[in-house]
Amino acid sequence: MGKDKLKRFAEIDTFSNVLQLDAGKPFKGEWSKGFFKNNNPVVLELACGKGEYTVNLATLFPDKNFIGIDYKGNRIWRGAKTALEDGVPNVAFLRIQIENLLDYFATGEVDEIWITFPDPQPQLSREKKRLTSPRFLDKYIEILKPGGCVNLKTDNDGLHAYTAEKIEELKLRLHIKTEDLYHSPYADEVLSIKTYYEKKYLKDNKNINYLKFSFA
């Protein structure tokens, strides 16, 4: 591990808005009251990377609590540091494996989920690792409130098509589907937030796909 990564790992240990591994478990069912000290809705960004979407959403919606989740502390460091420096209080970062979500969030505790530019896991043998595979959808339906939505924003046409197929197969409720977000009527202030990776994709003239769905 490089010196910069080691430095960042040491630094996030001191960040008040970062919880690593088991440190987040005591807040299961109590994220709003126990961690954020309010009664506001909880929104998750899964595979949040550097946390740009998490921090920008929190800035736009100060009446909601946002938790960015990723296992790579080197990435979380950037978003957590930005939130602290900019004084954004309604942001937390949780360093865990996403497959362990049910150990950290209670039934119906989460209002909304964002998945922005995840690893598409294109190989068929890695289907179960896709964040919109049935294996993960089963976890989302448990922690989401009734009617709570999942948002997928991706440059990967294959992951977009795969997710659309699962929505149809599982008879989920599709709210929005577009293969070209920025040439659609849906590119509002929220969906126009751009991550580091999205900016790179747009420079390469890649289309941006977006899906919004719920379980009821």
Side-chain angles (χ1 to χ4, degrees), residues 5 36 38 43 45 59 77 88 95 108 110 119 122 165 173 216:
K5 285 188 177 181
F36 292 103
N38 59 44
V43 180
E45 184 192 1
T59 302
W77 172 87
V88 186
R95 191 176 79 82
V110 174
D119 185 337
E165 288 173 8
R173 183 180 176 189

Side-chain angles (χ1 to χ4, degrees), residues 18-201:
V18 176
L19 293 168
Q20 301 192 62
L21 306 176
D22 289 351
K25 288 183 178 179
F27 294 103
K28 180 177 179 177
E30 297 290 335
W31 281 99
S32 289
K33 290 182 180 179
F35 185 86
F36 292 103
K37 310 301 181 187
N38 59 44
N39 293 308
N40 294 337
V42 172
V43 180
L44 307 184
E45 184 192 1
L46 305 181
C48 68
K50 296 183 179 182
E52 301 106 316
Y53 230 93
T54 303
V55 175
N56 276 280
L57 285 171
T59 302
L60 286 173
F61 300 101
D63 57 344
K64 295 182 180 181
N65 301 318
F66 293 87
I67 304 174
I69 299 177
D70 206 297
Y71 192 65
K72 296 188 177 179
N74 181 52
R75 294 179 181 174
I76 284 176
W77 172 87
R78 180 64 272 169
K81 191 173 181 69
T82 297
L84 290 173
E85 290 176 344
D86 293 350
V88 186
N90 55 323
V91 172
F93 288 91
L94 184 59
R95 191 176 79 82
I96 62 167
Q97 296 281 10
I98 294 170
E99 63 194 38
N100 297 326
L101 274 178
L102 300 186
D103 293 335
Y104 294 84
F105 296 93
T107 301
E109 184 172 13
V110 174
D111 282 68
E112 190 172 17
I113 291 173
W114 284 84
I115 307 171
T116 56
F117 302 94
D119 185 337
Q121 307 286 356
Q123 303 93 331
L124 185 60
S125 62
R126 298 179 68 84
E127 178 187 354
K128 288 184 178 180
K129 291 186 176 293
R130 296 172 191 166
L131 291 183
T132 53
S133 70
R135 173 187 176 218
F136 282 99
L137 294 176
D138 285 345
K139 300 179 192 298
Y140 306 157
I141 192 172
E142 184 161 339
I143 64 173
L144 277 169
K145 290 184 177 177
C149 289
V150 178
N151 303 271
L152 173 68
K153 196 177 178 188
T154 179
D155 69 302
N156 189 275
D157 295 339
L159 180 62
H160 176 79
Y162 169 83
T163 305
E165 288 173 8
K166 294 304 169 189
I167 290 170
E168 184 174 357
E169 285 176 15
L170 299 171
K171 295 181 170 51
L172 307 183
R173 183 180 176 189
L174 178 64
H175 297 271
I176 298 174
K177 177 186 176 187
T178 177
E179 289 79 27
D180 194 355
L181 175 62
Y182 294 111
H183 292 94
S184 79
Y186 307 115
D188 59 10
E189 187 178 30
V190 173
L191 290 176
S192 294
I193 296 171
K194 296 177 180 63
T195 67
Y196 167 80
Y197 290 107
E198 181 176 0
K199 290 174 184 177
K200 289 180 65 176
Y201 302 145

